Amino acid sequence: MPETPLRVAMVGHGFMGAAHSQAFRVAPRFFDLPLAPVMSTLVGRNVAATKAAAEKWGWAKTASDWRDVVNDPDIDLIDICSPGSTHVEIAVAALEAGKHVLCEKPLANTVAEAEQMAAAAEKAAAKGVFAMVGFTYRRVPAITFARDLVQAGRLGEIRRVQANYLQDWLVDEDGPMTWRLDKAKAGSGSLGDIGAHAIDAVQFITGQTLDSVSGLLHTFVTERPLLDESATKSGSIAGVAGSECGQVTVDDSALFTARLSGGAVGQFEATRFATGRKNAFRIEISGSEGALAFDLERENELEFYDAAAPANELGFKRILVTEPEHPYFAAWWPTGHTIGYEHGFSHQLVDLVNDLAAARQPHPSFAEGLQVQRVLDAVERSSDDGSAWTSTN
């Protein structure tokens, strides 16, 4: 282990908090890192739940107010895993206090908030303090390898993209309200929650940005049972639906077409109402000289089509992305052995730590997160006013 520590405080300990905690525990044991991540403080509003999470994942101590860690001179990095409505205040305060920041996606709930965060990050970077947004799917080896193939010119001129992110965890209309269904906390529904991943992954692979969009957002279930707070707070029962209902204020389904900066066109879908689809994230990219396809449900595979092959050999080839020559894989298991969802978070941490140690800007930056936020905003505006095309600028 390196001698120089990177002392971390993480805000939030739900789904993403668990994934990030796993990365802090595992990455330093498989990768040679120039800094040693130290899991110093876990922050959460519920004292008992935060202490339980800290004990489970190995955080040294807890706090109930994020301001405590922002002002703590013994903290180097603030990892923000709390709802989108909290991002701007925590991130800006942390950067102004001289702390590096890792912030979960989407960067914020609005373009104005994202602009404030990006400006704070730019100002901090001039002083050697850096910020990164957590679009973790960039670190899936097959997606990184797809980007490498495009950069090497193997697909030629990119002409079309299709990206679908399909889940079904909200299909039951009696399922209870969560913060993800409240626009004030989440910013948007399936569009920002999973559609943001599709946008960033396509832009990452192709090297092109989505410049204009035409979108449709729809909400299938407009109200849901509220959780019984008394039962939930007791600690003995979790997730109990009460008799009262709350209003769903976000989209259940997002569909949009896009024009990309390099001339390609694309179609995108993000929904949590695709019955039978658990976490189906599929990307297909077609070019003048080849094509590729990725499916998260087959995470260690990439399909590749080489249009230059002889006619009697044409067809998509399945590449098992598990070799030491593939991105990130040399640090893991013997050749051919697969990895899973949680490994992308370890790779994200590896890249972040290497960049911080080298005093260089990690990617995706807050500026890149702002660009994705502008795409989300343009899709929503297009849907609201029925515009055929809405600029993302």
Side-chain angles (χ1 to χ4, degrees), residues 70 75-78 92-101 124 127-130:
V70 165
I75 296 298
D76 304 305
L77 169 68
I78 306 290
V92 171
L95 290 167
E96 289 178 347
K99 314 296 186 187
H100 303 298
V101 173
K127 302 176 182 179
V129 177
F130 298 103

Side-chain angles (χ1 to χ4, degrees), residues 138 142-158 200-208 285 287 289-290 292 302 304 327 363 368:
R138 287 187 177 207
I143 288 182
T144 308
F145 183 53
R147 187 277 312 268
D148 294 345
L149 290 173
V150 171
Q151 285 189 339
R154 298 295 299 277
L155 270 64
E157 177 188 350
I158 303 300
D200 182 73
V202 165
Q203 294 186 150
F204 173 67
I205 295 170
T206 64
Q208 301 184 28
I285 300 176
E289 298 178 21
L292 58 82
L302 186 70
F304 177 65
H363 293 278
E368 291 168 275

